[in-house]
Amino acid sequence: MKGIGLRDKISVDSREFQVHTGNDPLKNIVKSEVFEKGKFLFSAEDPYSVRENKETEIDEEYLKDITFEQHQNTLDEIKILFLVNEKIKQIRQHLPHFRLGKVFLNRNFIDEAINNLKRVVELKPDFVRGHIKLGLAYFKQTKYMDAIKAFLQAHKIEPEYPDILNNLGVTYAKTNNFAAASKFLKKALEIKPNFKEANFNLGIVLFLSSIADDEDESKVIIPARFIRSFKEILKMSSFQSKYWHERFILTQQALEEGKKKNVVAALEKIQSEIMFQEDSSDIMDYFFLQFMFGGSELKHTKLDFFEELITAEVERNNTYADYWNELGIIHLVQCREYFTKAIAEFEKSTKIDPDFETAQKNTELLRHNKQGFLILLRAILK
């Protein structure tokens, strides 16, 4: 059967976004893509299980339903993010701005990301992750000197943090300051000798610096040192997805071709992409923002949806403390939903039988403790 496609335009403030959603029956995926003025911003993709009807044909209604759901979720996500952006502008807590800045950055809403991340470091100047994310946002905007300033501020707070040193090395390389780039990358490797990404980046920097003044645009010889570091990157578990395989194939093709201009472009591109590789998703950040500032109560089905996503993340990253913490939070939120339902059910019981003392007692107990539960939940989420 043919794939199912949906298209919509959504206006937020004075901006217009185009959302295209479709399913691929050969790959069993449904995917939404978001554009602004023809420029790709981000995509959301989910696999689905093939469901067949009685005639053993693919259930077309089922495919229509899941495609529409994905499409609507993407439209809602854009609306919610910009709604939250307005709601929290005057909030003097750094964490909501950090979460929103992170989500905006991952979706290439760069100006909004920078505005929120600048707010983060204003409210909490010693919050190192705020400076790092701000540096990454400036990097995406190709404002490399601003990115360096942000990373240096993070380095001032955490001078022994190898990821910051790695980011500085990559960013200095973008300004052709290969000496500074090499210095920071070597420092990162002193602190963390098995830091394969930094070793890979150092290999790129040393190679680029060696050909920087070479006007010969013919084939270049790729150093053995770089080849070794590239092979190490290819073996890493964090780069085993289809996405990374495709990226590395393009890089390898450029290296094999050997044309200087293409080799330099391919290495700079893969270097930047690796720097933006997230070691944690923003599912919980988006959930937090929608739950706290989204403007409407999250339905039970939506909570179940977030729980499934976060549980899947935990299964993939079960040694990461952050994921277990996030799963605990969403289970606590689900408890609140059951808590509220329980009050309504006890009240229903007392209406049916006003003399039912057990239901009366249970209703009063939950009513007295409801506010305390909400205070606890909001304290944890802040």
Side-chain angles (χ1 to χ4, degrees):
M1 67 172 286
K2 292 182 179 179
I4 298 165
L6 298 169
R7 292 189 175 210
D8 262 307
K9 292 180 181 178
I10 177 172
S11 296
V12 181
D13 298 330
S14 59
R15 300 168 67 179
E16 185 177 86
F17 304 103
Q18 298 81 41
V19 180
H20 302 169
T21 305
N23 82 294
D24 186 333
L26 297 178
K27 297 180 180 178
N28 290 349
I29 60 170
V30 58
K31 182 176 183 178
S32 291
E33 294 183 321
V34 180
F35 301 84
E36 183 179 20
K37 296 180 180 178
K39 179 184 177 183
F40 173 77
L41 293 177
F42 71 95
S43 64
E45 178 180 305
D46 281 309
Y48 60 84
S49 300
V50 175
R51 182 182 291 178
E52 297 179 348
N53 60 24
K54 292 179 181 178
E55 288 75 31
T56 68
E57 294 178 353
I58 294 175
D59 189 337
E60 189 168 343
E61 286 304 312
Y62 164 68
L63 293 181
K64 285 180 180 178
D65 287 344
I66 61 173
T67 304
F68 177 80
E69 183 180 11
Q70 172 78 5
H71 188 69
Q72 193 59 49
N73 283 342
T74 305
L75 291 169
D76 290 344
E77 182 176 310
I78 296 169
K79 292 175 187 175
I80 289 167
L81 289 177
F82 281 88
L83 170 67
V84 173
N85 192 44
E86 285 300 314
K87 277 193 169 186
I88 71 170
K89 279 184 177 177
Q90 303 306 317
I91 289 180
R92 297 190 58 80
Q93 296 169 348
H94 73 283
L95 191 54
H97 292 284
F98 177 73
R99 289 186 184 274
L100 186 57
K102 178 180 175 182
V103 174
F104 270 140
L105 180 60
N106 288 349
R107 285 150 185 75
N108 285 314
F109 296 119
I110 307 300
D111 289 339
E112 289 77 15
I114 288 174
N115 289 339
N116 277 280
L117 294 167
K118 285 170 70 175
R119 183 79 169 138
V120 170
V121 298
E122 287 170 6
L123 292 168
K124 193 169 177 60
D126 62 345
F127 187 55
V128 68
R129 287 190 293 162
H131 293 286
I132 293 171
K133 284 292 180 186
L134 181 58
L136 290 171
Y138 280 130
F139 187 99
K140 263 196 176 183
Q141 211 174 44
T142 68
K143 293 183 177 179
Y144 299 121
M145 294 312 299
D146 287 330
I148 287 170
K149 288 178 184 177
F151 290 140
L152 285 174
Q153 189 61 40
H155 177 53
K156 184 178 178 181
I157 300 166
E158 292 282 356
E160 299 295 304
Y161 192 179
D163 286 36
I164 298 170
L165 297 165
N166 180 63
N167 290 350
L168 279 164
V170 173
T171 312
Y172 269 115
K174 282 289 189 181
T175 68
N176 292 325
N177 188 341
F178 297 117
S182 179
K183 180 186 78 171
F184 282 109
L185 290 167
K186 286 177 179 177
K187 180 65 176 175
L189 287 165
E190 285 177 18
I191 297 168
K192 186 179 176 182
N194 64 339
F195 194 173
K196 293 177 182 177
E197 292 95 329
N199 189 46
F200 174 69
N201 288 327
L202 181 59
I204 291 176
V205 166
L206 294 175
F207 171 58
L208 293 180
S209 65
S210 71
I211 63 171
D213 298 324
D214 188 355
E215 296 181 1
D216 186 0
E217 292 296 326
S218 60
K219 291 188 71 170
V220 293
I221 298 172
I222 311 299
R225 186 214 183 281
F226 170 75
I227 297 297
R228 286 195 301 272
S229 66
F230 187 37
K231 287 180 178 178
E232 287 298 312
I233 286 285
L234 294 176
K235 294 176 185 176
M236 291 179 64
S237 60
S238 52
F239 297 114
Q240 296 309 308
S241 68
K242 180 183 176 184
Y243 172 88
W244 285 108
H245 285 166
E246 290 173 350
R247 295 299 179 276
F248 289 137
I249 286 170
L250 292 174
T251 305
Q252 286 176 314
Q253 288 173 346
L255 294 175
E256 289 168 5
E257 184 185 72
K259 193 175 290 186
K260 179 182 175 181
K261 181 180 178 181
N262 294 344
V263 168
V264 171
L267 292 181
E268 288 181 343
K269 183 175 176 61
I270 197 69
Q271 190 177 48
S272 298
E273 289 180 340
I274 287 174
M275 189 170 76
F276 277 91
Q277 186 218 7
E278 272 286 346
D279 57 0
S280 63
S281 75
D282 60 16
I283 294 169
M284 194 63 192
D285 299 289
Y286 178 58
F287 167 75
F288 168 89
L289 294 166
Q290 187 172 355
F291 179 74
M292 295 291 286
F293 308 106
S296 61
E297 193 80 7
L298 282 178
K299 294 180 180 178
H300 190 73
T301 52
K302 196 71 172 179
L303 287 172
D304 288 345
F305 168 74
F306 278 114
E307 186 200 18
E308 285 180 15
L309 292 178
I310 294 169
T311 299
E313 291 289 330
V314 170
E315 289 174 355
R316 286 192 293 270
N317 304 276
N318 61 16
T319 60
Y320 283 58
D322 286 359
Y323 287 103
W324 289 104
N325 182 67
E326 290 174 356
L327 190 58
I329 289 172
I330 199 164
H331 284 155
L332 194 58
V333 173
Q334 286 177 311
C335 285
R336 172 188 177 265
E337 299 305 305
Y338 284 114
F339 190 97
T340 305
K341 285 178 71 175
I343 292 176
E345 287 155 0
F346 288 139
E347 288 174 343
K348 180 71 173 177
S349 177
T350 59
K351 284 180 181 178
I352 294 171
D353 184 357
D355 297 324
F356 190 4
E357 292 182 1
T358 302
Q360 290 175 354
K361 182 185 74 172
N362 291 339
T363 303
E364 288 304 311
L365 282 171
L366 264 65
R367 281 176 178 168
H368 284 309
N369 288 284
K370 181 179 179 181
Q371 194 61 34
F373 189 91
L374 291 175
I375 291 169
L376 170 66
L377 184 58
R378 290 188 176 273
I380 289 173
L381 285 170
K382 281 184 179 179

